Amino acid sequence: MLNGYLTSAQAAAHLGITASTLRVLASRSAGFPRPVKISRISLWEQSALDAWRAEHPARRQAGKTPPCT
């Protein structure tokens, strides 16, 4: 692929989300980066995804509870 761009599967893995969540964010979240379309392939600019992740830290994973104190 192009330098600095990720496929949808790579972008989802990079963000730690599923490919379906990536598609939902792209279609419903106003501040989420938009992909560049080349034919039928969506490519995501890695630096734009990194900037978005910096502004939207990952949530705690489901099923993992903080330790009791």
Side-chain angles (χ1 to χ4, degrees), residues 12-24:
H14 184 72
L15 293 173
I17 59 176
T18 64
S20 61
T21 300
L22 180 75
R23 288 189 298 273
V24 168

Side-chain angles (χ1 to χ4, degrees), residues 42-66:
S42 295
L43 296 176
W44 305 83
E45 187 176 6
Q46 185 172 347
S47 61
L49 294 174
D50 290 340
W52 181 86
R53 176 51 82 201
E55 292 179 16
H56 302 86
R59 294 183 182 171
R60 183 171 48 92
Q61 292 181 355
K64 291 192 176 188
T65 57

Side-chain angles (χ1 to χ4, degrees), residues 6-39:
L6 304 171
T7 65
S8 293
Q10 291 169 329
H14 184 72
L15 293 173
I17 59 176
T18 64
S20 61
T21 300
L22 180 75
R23 288 189 298 273
V24 168
L25 286 170
S27 66
R28 296 185 186 166
S29 181
F32 194 77
R34 299 292 181 242
V36 174
K37 297 285 257 183
I38 297 178
S39 185

